[in-house]
Amino acid sequence: MSKTAPLENLATLAKAGVPLLHVCDKRDPWFNDQTKVVEQRYNELGGQITVVINEDDARYSLASADQSRVLDFIVGEAK
């Protein structure tokens, strides 16, 4: 376990070229405080991040999210 907060490790990931995928719900209480911050920081560091925002059902964010964007991310990274 790292004693460093995950938000502080983004530079290492961005430098290594690791693309990030984050699927979340807009009603998530950490959406503005965490998701938006990670997205902004990672972009500033030159990293690639895809954020898929579910606005339909907070209980099943993966099931009702824009699955085509998730698949595009996975397939694109497999190439």
Side-chain angles (χ1 to χ4, degrees):
M1 295 292 296
S2 174
K3 293 183 181 186
T4 307
L7 287 175
E8 303 306 321
N9 289 324
L10 293 175
T12 304
L13 293 172
K15 185 176 180 181
V18 177
L20 300 180
L21 172 66
H22 185 83
V23 180
C24 62
D25 190 275
K26 194 169 187 173
R27 293 171 287 193
D28 186 317
W30 297 284
F31 177 74
N32 288 320
D33 296 336
Q34 297 292 322
T35 301
K36 291 287 206 175
V37 171
V38 168
E39 181 180 30
Q40 180 181 352
R41 284 189 191 173
Y42 209 61
N43 282 325
E44 289 172 355
L45 292 166
Q48 176 194 350
I49 182 169
T50 301
V51 178
V52 178
I53 303 169
N54 175 30
E55 299 186 30
D56 296 331
D57 188 349
R59 296 171 294 159
Y60 304 106
S61 61
L62 289 174
S64 58
D66 184 352
Q67 294 175 1
S68 63
R69 289 189 63 206
V70 173
L71 290 173
D72 288 346
F73 176 88
I74 294 168
V75 171
E77 295 310 313
K79 291 180 181 178

